[in-house]
Amino acid sequence: MSSDFEERERGLLGLGEGRGLLLGEGAASAAQSTAVGVGLWHARVGTPAQYVILAKDGSGKRRTTGGDDFVASVSGGARVEVMILDHGDGSYSVAYTCEAAGRYRVSVRMGGDHVRGSPF
């Protein structure tokens, strides 16, 4: 037997007979999101370098949708164009090509905040 309070709570949460509570994923978090791949640490002049951004929500759970506002940059030597491809599943491929030798810094941000480990 349940109390009136429990019944009211079940109704508010949509936990009636045969139903469960379905929670959506949280918004992407720069502090929890990560970037992985050789292109974060190494590149050859004239050859595309690549890495992947993995979007995670505030609790560290991998996001399963795209559309997050990540910004990737490479600075320190000659100007470098960076391209980001949103796969729509919480992952983003990043590619860039350095046209001159030098020391570069790779940064990945979202909403102005660096992702975990950035700058590289």
Side-chain angles (χ1 to χ4, degrees), residues 68-84:
D68 300 305
D69 191 23
F70 288 102
V71 176
S73 63
V74 178
S75 59
R79 180 172 152 79
V80 177
E81 183 179 341
V82 179
M83 295 177 288
I84 300 177

Side-chain angles (χ1 to χ4, degrees), residues 21 24 28 31 34 38 46-47 60 100 110 120:
L21 179 62
T34 57
V38 175
T47 303
M110 189 185 78
F120 302 93

Side-chain angles (χ1 to χ4, degrees), residues 12-48:
L12 289 174
L13 294 176
L15 294 176
E17 194 78 298
R19 289 186 263 163
L21 179 62
L22 177 62
L23 296 175
E25 61 189 23
S29 162
Q32 294 294 328
S33 297
T34 57
V36 296
V38 175
L40 294 169
W41 311 103
H42 180 76
R44 289 184 177 268
V45 172
T47 303

Side-chain angles (χ1 to χ4, degrees), residues 1 16 31 35 43 52 72 76 93 99 103-104 108 110 112:
M1 178 179 241
V52 175
S93 294
E99 298 301 332
R103 294 186 69 98
Y104 293 84
V108 181
M110 189 185 78

